[in-house]
Amino acid sequence: MAVRPSSSPPPRLAFVSAATPSAREAKARLEKRYGKVTTADADIVVALGGDGLMLQALHHNMRRLKPIYGMNLGTVGFLLNTFRETGLLERLRKARQVMLNPLRMIAVDTRGKATEVTAINEVSLFRSSRQTARIAVAVDGKKRLPELHCDGVLVATPAGSTAYNLSAHGPILPLGAGLLALTPINAFRPRRWRGALLSRTSRVEFTILDPRKRPVAAAADSVEIANVVKVTVTEATDIRLTLLFDPEHDLEERILKEQFVP
């Protein structure tokens, strides 16, 4: 779906960049060429950097509902388009929209403090000591694993399934699958458990067993909460993020291709 018909006035663009010299220089050149407005006044936010900068831009604009078009000036750039200074307005006119719902994490620590954070890629739990974590896993109120011994465990969205989830040997999820990936990180017991595919409507609850002897931290993208005792993960259905992609760099096609990488 194109952003707007060609007869419409050009969109107001807000450029955001990573802190690298190449990204900052590109931002200055693009602002000189296409003009600039604040993100609050923009029709489209253009993110210049890598996947980390793209995630940051999505988080910063989560409540503004601004479409975000990324151009890769980082390393992998899975969530971004190819960088090119010329022809940007035409590319935006032809861009396809991808709608994403992030995850909502509510983490309760050993002091009883509850913290709510959103995650676009995944919510991860990690052991914080040399000893393995012991975690009980419940889905929709039903205990599925009374005791998981592991280095950690994560819940990934389809968009995040090709990131850390894939490195942890989790499944790649097509965007339209309506699924979340529940993936262990180095499970020791039960040793053969490789995770589960869950409906996107699932409520996943992790209870940390023996949290003082075997402390666990929870992370939602780049936000980490130390010494958690309970973590609940659901899809944030009230938040919809819009990413823009060139037709030849469609996110759904990229995810499909990842499943055939030898």
Side-chain angles (χ1 to χ4, degrees):
M1 179 185 298
V3 176
R4 57 181 64 222
S6 58
S7 59
S8 300
R12 295 168 297 173
L13 306 180
F15 294 91
V16 296
S17 73
T20 62
S22 61
R24 287 180 172 177
E25 291 167 7
K27 177 176 180 286
R29 293 194 302 271
L30 289 165
E31 287 177 340
K32 185 175 180 180
R33 181 186 290 265
Y34 299 103
K36 65 176 180 178
V37 297
T38 65
T39 53
D41 294 329
D43 297 311
I44 298 172
V45 176
V46 179
L48 308 169
D51 285 317
L53 184 277
M54 187 62 166
L55 290 176
Q56 180 180 322
L58 286 165
H59 278 287
H60 286 173
N61 290 278
M62 197 164 285
R63 296 297 178 184
R64 294 186 177 130
L65 304 178
K66 307 286 184 179
I68 300 181
Y69 179 89
M71 288 200 286
N72 186 25
L73 286 168
T75 305
V76 179
F78 192 82
L79 295 174
L80 299 104
N81 301 282
T82 303
F83 176 78
R84 190 167 64 247
E85 290 185 27
T86 59
L88 178 57
L89 295 179
E90 181 65 12
R91 291 172 75 184
L92 291 173
R93 188 181 69 81
K94 294 180 178 179
R96 299 180 185 275
Q97 294 185 356
V98 172
M99 311 299 292
L100 302 178
N101 291 101
L103 299 174
R104 176 172 285 115
M105 175 184 83
I106 300 177
V108 180
D109 64 20
T110 51
R111 298 172 298 169
K113 180 182 177 182
T115 303
E116 181 177 314
V117 191
T118 53
I120 294 156
N121 274 353
E122 74 275 319
V123 169
S124 306
L125 278 67
F126 302 98
R127 65 174 180 166
S128 300
S129 73
R130 63 180 179 81
Q131 294 181 299
T132 59
R134 292 171 57 202
I135 303 172
V137 182
V139 179
D140 294 330
K142 184 172 184 178
K143 190 173 289 186
R144 294 295 182 180
L145 283 177
E147 192 167 326
L148 172 64
H149 291 239
C150 58
D151 283 343
V153 63
L154 64 85
V155 179
T157 65
S161 67
T162 60
Y164 186 48
N165 172 72
L166 181 58
S167 297
H169 306 291
I172 295 175
L173 304 178
L175 281 180
L179 298 172
L180 301 174
L182 174 62
T183 302
I185 303 168
N186 294 333
F188 295 97
R189 196 179 302 164
R191 190 174 295 275
R192 290 193 175 92
W193 188 64
R194 294 293 181 264
L197 295 175
L198 305 177
S199 166
R200 62 183 293 186
T201 63
S202 298
R203 176 186 177 91
V204 186
E205 187 173 87
F206 302 105
T207 302
I208 312 308
L209 308 175
D210 202 1
R212 298 196 180 277
K213 183 180 179 182
R214 301 168 183 268
V216 170
D221 287 344
S222 61
V223 178
E224 184 172 313
I225 311 297
N227 300 316
V228 296
V229 294
K230 183 166 289 188
V231 176
T232 304
V233 183
T234 56
E235 186 180 68
T237 56
D238 57 317
I239 302 173
R240 297 196 76 189
L241 305 172
T242 304
L243 279 69
L244 302 177
F245 290 93
D246 296 330
E248 67 272 19
H249 289 287
D250 182 75
L251 182 60
E252 191 161 4
E253 175 63 19
R254 290 186 185 190
I255 291 175
L256 181 61
K257 283 182 179 179
E258 283 291 324
Q259 297 181 78
F260 294 92
V261 174

